[in-house]
């Protein structure tokens, strides 16, 4: 069952990556499917209440980040017409929800930082003529790599126990 879920999740993540990179648009229904598949996959690893608490804290973190960026844009440009949605697509925000169900809060913050930095690097080196960054696509690629690490390495990057062992 786990391998079927991982294959399905991988296919959805690959679709999100290619659609976002090639067309800068992703079919909206891929995000709820990815969310549901990841939710089922991780509900087999964690008690449901712990999974929901992690997801709630991760949504709170994303909410604080979005409000902070909106406040920065308002203070920077002093114009209410300059909105976050001019810079961040709905698919990018929906993908944060998909990522939020996958990680504990500490790993969520680490994944978000690393995937944003990698997205910046990918866009600088591979998307020279484009004015927008396919953030959801690049983060889908990072999540796919994280799943591959989980399958091949001796640790699980989705929980924080590997961090405690490393420290």
């Amino acid at each position: 069952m786990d391998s079927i879920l991982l294959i399905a999740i991988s296919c959805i993540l690959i679709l999100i990556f290619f659609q976002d990179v090639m067309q800068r648009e992703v079919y909206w229904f891929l995000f709820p499917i990815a969310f549901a598949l990841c939710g089922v996959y991780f509900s087999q690893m964690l008690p449901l209440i712990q999974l929901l608490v992690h997801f709630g804290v991760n949504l709170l973190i994303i909410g604080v980040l979005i409000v902070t960026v909106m406040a920065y844009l308002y203070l920077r440009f002093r114009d209410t017409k300059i909105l976050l949605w001019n810079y961040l697509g709905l698919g990018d925000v929906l993908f944060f929800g998909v990522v939020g169900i996958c990680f504990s809060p500490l790993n969520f913050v680490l994944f978000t930082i690393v995937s944003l930095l990698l997205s910046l690097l990918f866009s600088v080196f591979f998307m020279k003529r484009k004015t927008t960054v396919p953030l959801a696509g690049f983060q889908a690629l990072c999540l796919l790599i994280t799943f591959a690490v989980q399958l091949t390495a001796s640790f699980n990057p989705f929980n924080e126990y590997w961090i405690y062992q490393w420290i």
Side-chain angles (χ1 to χ4, degrees):
M1 181 68 170
D2 285 346
S3 60
I4 293 171
L5 279 171
L6 282 176
I7 291 170
I9 292 169
S10 298
C11 289
I12 296 294
L13 292 176
I14 290 169
L15 276 172
I16 290 172
F17 172 71
F18 279 115
Q19 282 187 349
D20 202 16
V21 169
M22 299 298 182
Q23 303 168 352
R24 293 295 195 278
E25 293 179 349
V26 180
Y27 293 132
W28 68 269
F29 59 84
L30 292 177
F31 298 108
I33 292 171
F35 179 83
L37 289 172
C38 289
V40 169
Y41 179 74
F42 288 104
S43 69
Q44 295 174 357
M45 296 180 188
L46 294 172
L48 184 60
I49 190 72
Q50 186 178 5
L51 184 69
L52 292 175
V53 167
H54 285 177
F55 179 64
V57 171
N58 293 343
L59 281 183
L60 183 65
I61 292 168
I62 287 300
V64 167
L65 285 174
I66 288 175
V67 167
T68 303
V69 170
M70 288 178 77
Y72 167 76
L73 289 174
Y74 176 74
L75 292 173
R76 171 76 168 90
F77 296 108
R78 296 277 186 213
D79 188 4
T80 57
K81 293 179 184 177
I82 303 290
L83 294 176
L84 178 68
W85 307 118
N86 295 346
Y87 299 99
L88 191 66
L90 180 61
D92 303 330
V93 175
L94 290 175
F95 195 77
F96 280 121
V98 172
V99 173
I101 198 74
C102 296
F103 293 99
S104 66
L106 178 60
N107 280 347
F108 176 74
V109 170
L110 289 174
F111 177 83
T112 301
I113 291 169
V114 169
S115 67
L116 289 174
L117 288 174
L118 287 175
S119 297
L120 176 66
L121 290 174
F122 290 155
S123 66
V124 166
F125 290 114
F126 299 117
M127 312 295 287
K128 294 196 186 269
R129 296 184 191 173
K130 304 292 182 178
T131 58
T132 60
V133 176
L135 183 62
F138 287 149
Q139 285 189 317
L141 180 64
C142 291
L143 187 58
L144 190 63
I145 291 168
T146 307
F147 275 111
V149 167
Q150 179 195 17
L151 290 175
T152 58
S154 62
F155 69 95
N156 185 357
F158 292 100
N159 62 35
E160 65 274 350
Y161 301 120
W162 68 273
I163 297 171
Y164 299 141
Q165 291 175 349
W166 185 68
I167 293 175

